[in-house]
Amino acid sequence: MSNENNENKMALDDANRVKVLSPGMMVFKRFIRNKLAIVGIIIIVFMFLFSFVGGLLNPYSQSQVFYTTEQILKDYAGATSIDQYQIQQVDGVKLPSDIFSKTLIAASTGKYVFETRDGSLLGLGNVGENVYVIYSLEEVNMLLKKNAAYDAAVAAGENYFTDDDGLTYLFQDEGAAFPTVYAASEMGVAAMKSFTPYDSSEKFSYEFYRGALVASANGKKSFEADGTTYTVDEDVILKDGAEYALISDVNFNAANAGVFISPAYKDAALDAIAAGQTTFMFPDEDGTEIEYRIENKNGQYTFRRYQETRVIDTYAHPSKAHWVGTDANGMDLLARLMYGGRISLLIGFVVIFIEVFIGMIIGGVAGFFGGWVDNLLMRIVDVVYCIPTMPLYLILGSIMDYYQASATTRIYMLCVIMAVIGWVGIARIVRGQILSLREQEFMVAAEATGISTYRRIFKHLIPNVVPQLIVFASMGLGDVILAEATLSFLGLGIKYPAASWGSIINAVNDSYVMSNYLFVWLPAGLFILLTVLAFNFIGDGLRDAFDPKMKR
């Protein structure tokens, strides 16, 4: 029995007791023992799934705008007292362009005969209070026309008369021995009144306008026009006993095209203004009573009411429809976080890849050849180091703004610019490592066997620098993401409508948004923090795994 136990015991140098691990496996085992590095891996995997897979599952796009309905106080109509003559012209007659100003001057000065800009001789016949008929005039011989009709017109205070033949004459300087008389042809009617039909489809004829104005100005209870008798009840004109038109000295205008301001509404508004009210109620088409607010600014009245309006759903709080809420443009923040993560992570990896590629070649060539080649390449590195990055970003951002570069173009340009400026650190690391490695025995043996320079650099030297490059790249990813976020925050990076985490937290520029809408910028800031922290954890884990002595 004791012999069997002795046979089962193995010597220390027994091959069965030796477990050989490859260098890669040893690095992997040391890496997975680092708990923080594992946490970093989990965070990065989550960020990639969230950004690239989540964007495919989310039903919204990053630029989709959402709307909601709100009750907003909006202008409905405006009203002003009519201080200019409203002119209706006879069908087929064209009045001169300056007729409005000439009519106002003639009515205010009492000089009813005037000449227009185009040389036409016109006159006003005063047919009622502030109601004038516009005539085209031609001077005639007064000796032939001064008669009883003229005397009656003078006695009545009128400046026109009609003779037995039905011809109209207008005169000036009445009472004079030889007043000036003109043959008059009617061209239109002018008054400081507006007409509103009770039926919006109704169109008034010139004869109706003239008859209504004359009757209203002279206090008549009825008039005839177009073969119909109309009744005048104060400011309302009735046709067959039904309300037909409203006469008013206030001009109403709808705030929106296509809205008809009914006479009943005008009556209610005018009654409220006369009573000194600031609000009044009026039913809409469905009979629902709606409150209207009256605002008076120097005699100009504005009527406002609450209307259900479709507006952009800005800064909506988190809900079932929008788990993280919406931003200032009414876009779903969760979707923008997902698509923004793609941009931020993509820029980070692309920039680091380009930096490593350029830095590895420049540093490898400089370290291997040394001498004037090394001196030349290191001076190039020094020059790139001296480039002021922020002013360069500002200049390039202004150039892209001037040429209105698309969001995709900005992404590519941002990657190239950040990589071209950031490769110098990697080049120096590679150069320093190769300077120490090229003098070791395996490189002397490689040279002795006649291996080409290209293979000595990229097959023997560079692979020995890869561990340091991996550590540098993993830790540099966080720096690139931070740099992109900073540039986007300053408005120099990704532009609307494309999103990145940095452009999302640009909302912090507004102190009110920063303090009252934490859900707008806090998630993006948290994602940047976790991603940068995760890459740093991974970088620390890789550094310890490749060189355990650095932990001591």
Side-chain angles (χ1 to χ4, degrees):
M1 187 70 179
S2 61
N3 291 334
E4 291 179 2
N5 291 336
N6 290 335
E7 289 177 359
N8 291 332
K9 291 180 180 180
M10 298 182 182
L12 291 176
D13 59 350
D14 194 320
N16 292 327
R17 295 188 57 148
V18 179
K19 187 176 181 180
V20 179
L21 295 176
S22 65
M25 184 58 68
M26 293 176 65
V27 169
F28 175 73
K29 282 189 170 293
R30 285 196 291 263
F31 178 77
I32 62 175
R33 291 193 193 107
N34 190 316
K35 295 180 179 180
L36 287 180
I38 299 303
V39 171
I41 290 291
I42 293 172
I43 293 174
I44 295 302
V45 170
F46 169 78
M47 292 300 175
F48 269 90
L49 292 176
F50 175 80
S51 301
F52 290 90
V53 179
L56 298 176
L57 300 178
N58 194 306
Y60 307 137
S61 69
Q62 63 173 329
S63 58
Q64 185 175 352
V65 178
F66 294 88
Y67 295 85
T68 186
T69 54
E70 292 182 0
Q71 292 291 332
I72 297 178
L73 189 63
K74 300 181 69 174
D75 291 351
Y76 177 73
T80 55
S81 296
I82 300 176
D83 55 2
Q84 297 287 333
Y85 282 96
Q86 312 293 301
I87 297 177
Q88 299 294 328
Q89 57 192 18
V90 175
D91 295 339
V93 171
K94 185 176 182 181
L95 291 168
S97 60
D98 57 342
I99 187 64
F100 294 95
S101 60
K102 293 293 186 179
T103 300
L104 182 62
I105 295 171
S108 59
T109 60
K111 296 180 179 180
Y112 295 130
V113 177
F114 54 87
E115 187 175 342
T116 60
R117 184 183 298 117
D118 61 1
S120 301
L121 186 63
L122 303 182
L124 301 181
N126 189 356
V127 297
E129 185 179 359
N130 289 326
V131 179
Y132 300 91
V133 176
I134 303 172
Y135 294 105
S136 174
L137 304 180
E138 183 178 355
E139 189 173 345
V140 298
N141 187 347
M142 182 56 213
L143 294 176
L144 299 176
K145 296 300 178 185
K146 190 172 183 181
N147 52 26
Y150 168 83
D151 295 332
V154 172
E158 297 174 346
N159 65 333
Y160 66 96
F161 64 92
T162 304
D163 65 6
D164 297 335
D165 298 328
L167 300 176
T168 301
Y169 296 90
L170 187 143
F171 56 87
Q172 193 164 273
D173 303 325
E174 65 274 8
F178 297 100
T180 306
V181 178
Y182 304 89
S185 300
E186 189 168 333
M187 298 185 72
V189 61
M192 291 187 181
K193 298 286 184 180
S194 67
F195 284 75
T196 305
Y198 278 84
D199 182 356
S200 60
S201 63
E202 189 68 46
K203 302 296 182 184
F204 299 139
S205 67
Y206 172 77
E207 188 176 352
F208 173 83
Y209 273 113
R210 189 186 192 286
L213 288 171
V214 173
S216 176
N218 292 283
K220 295 181 179 180
K221 295 299 183 181
S222 65
F223 66 94
E224 289 190 6
D226 305 319
T228 304
T229 300
Y230 296 90
T231 303
V232 181
D233 183 8
E234 295 183 350
D235 293 333
V236 178
I237 299 174
L238 306 175
K239 180 181 180 182
D240 299 330
E243 295 174 327
Y244 182 70
L246 175 71
I247 305 177
S248 175
D249 57 1
V250 175
N251 196 20
F252 281 78
N253 293 295
N256 298 314
V259 175
F260 174 67
I261 307 298
S262 68
Y265 179 88
K266 292 183 178 181
D267 266 342
L270 292 173
D271 290 343
I273 292 173
Q277 298 174 202
T278 57
T279 62
F280 69 96
M281 304 296 293
F282 189 80
D284 62 5
E285 296 177 354
D286 300 328
T288 304
E289 291 287 329
I290 297 178
E291 182 183 66
Y292 292 84
R293 297 186 181 184
I294 304 174
E295 296 180 1
N296 181 10
K297 294 182 180 178
N298 301 323
Q300 294 184 342
Y301 295 92
T302 302
F303 306 98
R304 312 184 74 193
R305 72 174 185 179
Y306 282 99
Q307 299 183 54
E308 190 174 88
T309 307
R310 190 168 183 260
V311 297
I312 295 176
D313 193 10
T314 59
Y315 297 129
H317 285 77
S319 62
K320 289 183 179 179
H322 307 288
W323 290 2
V324 189
T326 61
D327 62 6
N329 299 306
M331 299 177 181
D332 184 73
L333 275 169
L334 182 61
R336 290 185 69 78
L337 285 170
M338 291 176 176
Y339 285 92
R342 293 182 183 183
I343 299 298
S344 295
L345 293 172
L346 179 66
I347 288 177
F349 278 94
V350 170
V351 169
I352 285 296
F353 176 80
I354 298 175
E355 286 182 358
V356 170
F357 180 77
I358 298 175
M360 186 173 60
I361 293 177
I362 299 297
V365 172
F368 181 81
F369 288 103
W372 69 269
V373 176
D374 179 31
N375 193 35
L376 174 63
L377 293 178
M378 285 304 100
R379 298 299 73 77
I380 295 175
V381 169
D382 292 337
V383 170
V384 176
Y385 255 127
C386 295
I387 295 176
T389 56
M390 190 54 66
L392 178 63
Y393 290 142
L394 290 171
I395 293 171
L396 294 174
S398 299
I399 292 174
M400 287 190 286
D401 287 341
Y402 177 79
Y403 288 104
Q404 298 179 345
S406 64
T408 304
T409 303
R410 282 181 170 273
I411 293 172
Y412 293 148
M413 291 298 297
L414 194 60
C415 290
V416 171
I417 294 166
M418 294 179 69
V420 167
I421 294 177
W423 61 268
V424 289
I426 295 179
R428 289 201 171 199
I429 290 176
V430 172
R431 171 184 174 273
Q433 291 292 319
I434 289 183
L435 282 175
S436 62
L437 290 173
R438 71 175 184 175
E439 304 299 334
Q440 295 188 12
E441 290 82 355
F442 75 93
M443 287 304 300
V444 176
E447 184 178 359
T449 55
I451 296 176
S452 66
T453 302
Y454 172 84
R455 291 179 59 84
R456 274 184 280 164
I457 295 176
F458 294 102
K459 297 293 184 180
H460 294 278
L461 289 176
I462 295 297
N464 284 279
V465 187
V466 166
Q468 289 79 6
L469 290 179
I470 293 174
V471 173
F472 187 91
S474 61
M475 301 187 76
L477 276 167
D479 295 335
V480 173
I481 292 175
L482 278 178
E484 181 277 326
T486 302
L487 293 176
S488 296
F489 177 79
L490 295 174
L492 304 176
I494 307 304
K495 290 285 188 179
Y496 175 88
S500 72
W501 290 339
S503 64
I504 291 174
I505 62 173
N506 194 290
V508 184
N509 281 332
D510 189 331
S511 59
Y512 180 80
V513 174
M514 180 181 66
S515 57
N516 292 279
Y517 301 105
L518 297 178
F519 62 87
V520 173
W521 59 271
L522 192 59
L526 184 62
F527 280 7
I528 293 174
L529 172 65
L530 290 176
T531 303
V532 174
L533 200 61
F535 280 124
N536 286 338
F537 286 162
I538 294 172
D540 286 339
L542 289 173
R543 181 192 61 197
D544 296 340
F546 280 116
D547 192 355
K549 295 179 182 179
M550 296 187 68
K551 294 182 64 175
R552 301 176 184 176

